[in-house]
């Protein structure tokens, strides 16, 4: 065996290696570094569900990385290969993500070893309710202790079942709805949660492109308009990111990579049409309006301006990293670039907008949903009409002035309509998300630009988050 060949680190090892690179540049008290790095606990549950005339046993996990703030927060994923190490890596990322965007949570993550496509809706409900029951009775789902959310393979439907299961088991808990986020609107959800992670990716890129120096660092120029984008994974996150970037920012989606291959068209793909095709046919195969590449992963290496891995961890690794041509990668998925690949890309000068920042839109809007559930009132309900009537006062005054000046100028109808309308919940959520993404970017960027020993945004992001977690531990006297 050639000892010079470095082995690919696992997902958890990758997160630890990246963490270690950052703490080496910090001055943490002895022991605190390890306290922050390690995962506090992982609960494994094996439970049986009677399906199709037989008992099927399932394995699930709920991992709590850090309880420096509670509740702890993080999604539950359904995937056939979920394992403890993966869930622990994801829980650690949740800690850093929440700290970076100032969502007042510790980090957690859950997983169920299941291929959801093998079960019908009723079976999935039975399985989800049973998994939730196991976690709820141990307070591993709880409004003030541990609040799950959707992740790969789960969505609004599963969150509604979990919320209902919690309510059945805690009939007098007035805050029951806050036990899980990502619920449908009619079960205590919030407007804009489904699109939130993809929307956050868009806001992150907009903030990046606001800064000449940062755009220069990636060897790019101009604005998002006309940029060629390749997206891996047209699930909830990739779909919304690609949709918003193409419809609102003028990006050209030149490649879409899915499980069964990729679509490629230098002139740009129609995201809505591709999505409808996938929903109907289960994949991109047969899509009529673009070239189909059987070896989908090869499209990661195509020339483009922005690469958005939005599918799963470890897709950019030591074997393909050197061939990645995108000058800018934004990690919409958690952990898509391994630590080994990260080294190679950094040396090449590729700019990576790291996962803990790039996909934090989901947990940010989850935070808003949790606050909404605890306050038992929809955002904007008290202020909207009051805001409108105050704006009406200004418009009336301006129109009176216009009359007194013989109507030599008037307000445009478009301005009036837009100015008079008070913000609804969706607008407030988007505005809160935009603000969060801008502030978090600036906090990373300041370190990236000001500290000579910090070469990349990922290390800068770790420095910001670890600093916040450490401060919280110090405040507790640890
Ligand atoms: N699963 C998402 C993530 O990885 C969302 C977590 C949440 O909203 O709590 O960030």
């Amino acid at each position: 065996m050639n000892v010079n060949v470095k082995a690919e680190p696992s997902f958890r090892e990758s997160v630890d290696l990246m963490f270690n690179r950052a703490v080496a540049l910090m001055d943490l008290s002895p022991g605190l570094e390890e306290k922050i790095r390690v995962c506090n606990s992982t609960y494994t549950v094996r439970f049986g569900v009677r399906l199709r005339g037989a008992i099927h046993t399932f394995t699930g996990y709920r991992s709590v990385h850090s309880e420096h703030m509670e509740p702890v927060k993080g999604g539950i994923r359904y995937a056939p290969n979920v394992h403890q190490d993966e869930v622990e890596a994801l829980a650690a990322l949740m800690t850093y993500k929440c700290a970076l965007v100032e969502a007042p949570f510790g980090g957690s993550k859950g997983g169920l070893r299941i291929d959801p496509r093998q079960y019908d809706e009723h079976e999935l409900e039975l399985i989800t309710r049973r998994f939730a029951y196991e976690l709820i009775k141990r307070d591993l789902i709880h409004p003030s202790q541990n609040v799950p959310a959707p992740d790969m393979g789960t969505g609004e439907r599963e969150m509604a079942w979990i919320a209902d299961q919690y309510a059945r088991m805690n009939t007098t808990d007035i805050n029951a709805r806050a036990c899980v986020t990502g619920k449908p609107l009619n079960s205590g959800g919030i407007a804009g949660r489904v699109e939130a992670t993809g929307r956050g990716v868009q806001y992150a890129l907009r903030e990046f492109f606001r800064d000449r120096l940062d755009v220069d660092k990636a060897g790019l120029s101009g604005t998002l308009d006309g940029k060629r984008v390749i997206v891996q994974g047209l699930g909830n996150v990739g779909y919304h990111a690609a949709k918003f970037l193409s419809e609102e920012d003028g990006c050209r989606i030149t490649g879409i990579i899915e499980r069964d291959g990729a679509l490629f068209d230098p002139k740009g793909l129609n995201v809505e049409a591709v999505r409808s095709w996938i929903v109907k046919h289960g994949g991109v195969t047969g899509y009529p309006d673009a070239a189909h590449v059987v070896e989908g992963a090869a499209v990661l290496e195509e020339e483009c301006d922005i690469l958005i891995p939005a599918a799963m961890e470890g897709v950019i690794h030591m074997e393909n990293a050197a061939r990645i041509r995108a000058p800018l990668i934004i990690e919409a998925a958690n952990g898509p670039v391994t630590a080994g690949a990260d080294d190679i890309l950094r040396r090449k000068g590729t700019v990576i907008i790291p996962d803990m920042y790039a996909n934090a839109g989901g947990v940010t809007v989850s935070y808003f949903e949790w606050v909404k559930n605890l306050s038992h009132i929809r955002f904007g309900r008290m202020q909207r009409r009051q805001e409108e009537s105050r704006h009406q006062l200004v418009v009336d005054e301006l129109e009176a002035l216009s009359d007194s000046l013989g109507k030599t100028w008037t307000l445009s109808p478009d301005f009036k309509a837009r100015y008079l309308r008070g913000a609804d919940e969706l607008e407030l959520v988007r505005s809160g998300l935009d603000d969060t993404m801008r502030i978090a970017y600036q906090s990373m960027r300041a370190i990236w630009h000001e500290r000579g020993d910090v070469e990349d945004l990922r290390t800068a992001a770790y420095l910001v988050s670890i600093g916040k977690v450490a401060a919280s531990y110090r405040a507790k006297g640890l």
Side-chain angles (χ1 to χ4, degrees):
M1 198 179 110
N2 184 348
V3 285
N4 289 324
V5 177
K6 277 206 254 163
E8 191 80 67
S10 72
F11 186 13
R12 197 176 56 77
E13 285 164 351
S14 279
V15 173
D16 284 352
L17 284 165
M18 290 166 177
F19 175 94
N20 291 343
R21 251 173 62 80
V23 287
L25 306 173
M26 297 177 81
D27 191 19
L28 295 182
S29 62
L32 184 54
E33 182 181 313
E34 197 193 357
K35 173 70 205 80
I36 296 175
R37 182 177 52 75
V38 298
C39 188
N40 288 3
S41 64
T42 301
Y43 175 74
T44 306
V45 58
R46 295 185 186 85
F47 58 92
V49 183
R50 182 176 288 280
L51 304 168
R52 305 171 199 175
I55 293 177
H56 294 243
T57 301
F58 297 90
T59 304
Y61 307 92
R62 187 73 180 163
S63 182
V64 175
H65 173 260
S66 174
E67 291 148 293
H68 69 288
M69 281 199 190
E70 284 182 312
V72 293
K73 188 94 191 72
I76 292 183
R77 69 170 48 178
Y78 284 4
N81 50 358
V82 164
H83 53 87
Q84 180 169 344
D85 251 34
E86 178 188 20
V87 177
E88 291 190 357
L90 290 161
L93 282 176
M94 284 309 303
T95 295
Y96 308 133
K97 193 184 302 190
C98 291
L100 185 63
V101 295
E102 300 189 326
F105 305 126
S108 182
K109 201 78 170 202
L112 185 65
R113 256 181 116 84
I114 185 178
D115 178 356
R117 283 168 305 182
Q118 303 303 319
Y119 299 89
D120 66 28
E121 186 163 20
H122 176 65
E123 291 171 331
L124 281 172
E125 179 173 351
L126 292 175
I127 299 162
T128 302
R129 283 186 182 274
R130 183 60 206 270
F131 184 31
Y133 168 84
E134 296 293 335
L135 297 179
I136 293 163
K137 73 174 183 187
R138 292 171 176 89
D139 289 341
L140 286 164
I141 296 178
H142 190 286
S144 60
Q145 294 202 41
N146 197 324
V147 182
D151 200 80
M152 247 165 70
T154 58
E156 287 188 322
R157 182 183 64 176
E158 287 72 17
M159 301 308 117
W161 291 330
I162 293 173
D164 185 64
Q165 188 63 32
Y166 183 89
R168 286 186 190 187
M169 294 166 70
N170 296 274
T171 49
T172 55
D173 185 348
I174 196 169
N175 292 321
R177 282 184 154 180
C179 76
V180 63
T181 59
K183 302 177 293 292
L185 255 183
N186 58 19
S187 316
I190 192 168
R193 176 61 185 86
V194 175
E195 66 167 42
T197 315
R199 187 61 83 181
V201 170
Q202 175 196 33
Y203 289 161
L205 280 172
R206 283 187 179 171
E207 186 61 3
F208 180 87
F209 274 86
R210 267 187 202 108
D211 200 299
R212 270 266 62 72
L213 275 178
D214 296 3
V215 177
D216 276 358
K217 273 198 185 225
L220 291 164
S221 61
T223 65
L224 275 170
D225 193 33
K227 293 286 176 291
R228 297 160 305 165
V229 176
I230 293 178
V231 187
Q232 184 189 40
L234 212 63
N236 182 44
V237 180
Y239 161 65
H240 282 106
K243 174 184 166 67
F244 299 144
L245 288 168
S246 59
E247 289 176 2
E248 298 170 14
D249 297 290
C251 290
R252 225 178 332 139
I253 311 299
T254 53
I256 291 176
I257 307 167
E258 267 290 322
R259 255 183 291 259
D260 62 332
L263 299 175
F264 192 72
D265 184 353
K267 293 197 298 297
L269 295 153
N270 179 332
V271 176
E272 282 303 333
V274 176
R275 170 82 164 187
S276 310
W277 184 271
I278 296 173
V279 170
K280 203 155 159 216
H281 301 90
V284 290
T285 310
Y287 181 75
D289 299 324
H292 181 256
V293 183
V294 180
E295 191 41 65
V299 173
L300 288 170
E301 300 163 22
E302 282 291 341
E303 209 184 300
C304 66
D305 300 308
I306 305 169
L307 178 60
I308 311 185
M312 56 180 300
E313 61 262 22
V315 294
I316 299 174
H317 41 73
M318 286 158 75
E319 201 276 317
N320 65 359
R323 296 194 302 273
I324 301 287
R325 283 187 277 175
L328 176 62
I329 299 176
I330 177 157
E331 297 181 326
N334 288 308
V337 175
T338 66
D342 193 61
D343 284 339
I344 297 169
L345 291 165
R346 209 172 333 106
R347 280 200 297 274
K348 276 198 343 167
T350 309
V351 172
I352 302 178
I353 303 181
D355 47 9
M356 74 173 76
Y357 168 69
N359 66 40
V363 76
T364 299
V365 177
S366 275
Y367 169 40
F368 301 156
E369 180 177 333
W370 180 73
V371 170
K372 176 186 180 181
N373 294 151
L374 294 177
S375 53
H376 301 268
I377 187 165
R378 164 170 55 77
F379 286 106
R381 181 158 174 184
M382 304 289 277
Q383 305 90 335
R384 186 174 179 189
R385 302 303 166 192
Q386 193 261 357
E387 190 190 342
E388 287 181 356
S389 54
R390 290 176 75 87
H391 286 186
Q392 187 69 54
L393 277 179
V394 176
V395 167
D396 289 349
E397 198 62 21
L398 285 170
E399 287 189 327
L401 189 62
S402 159
D403 287 347
S404 72
L405 294 172
K407 285 205 192 300
T408 43
W409 57 270
T410 52
L411 298 173
S412 74
D414 180 52
F415 165 80
K416 253 174 72 176
R418 287 201 292 150
Y419 186 65
L420 282 176
R421 199 167 43 84
D424 62 12
E425 186 171 79
L426 182 60
E427 281 171 274
L428 291 170
V429 162
R430 286 181 180 159
S431 131
L433 174 60
D434 192 9
D435 186 55
T436 303
M437 296 308 287
R438 290 190 200 207
I439 291 178
Y441 184 79
Q442 290 308 324
S443 67
M444 293 188 304
R445 184 188 183 276
I447 290 187
W448 187 32
H449 284 259
E450 283 159 23
R451 279 188 60 156
D453 54 353
V454 174
E455 299 168 40
D456 60 323
L457 277 168
R458 190 191 311 280
T459 307
Y462 270 101
L463 285 178
V464 176
S465 350
I466 298 168
K468 287 189 179 157
V469 178
S472 148
Y473 275 123
R474 272 196 292 269
K476 288 181 180 178
L478 207 87

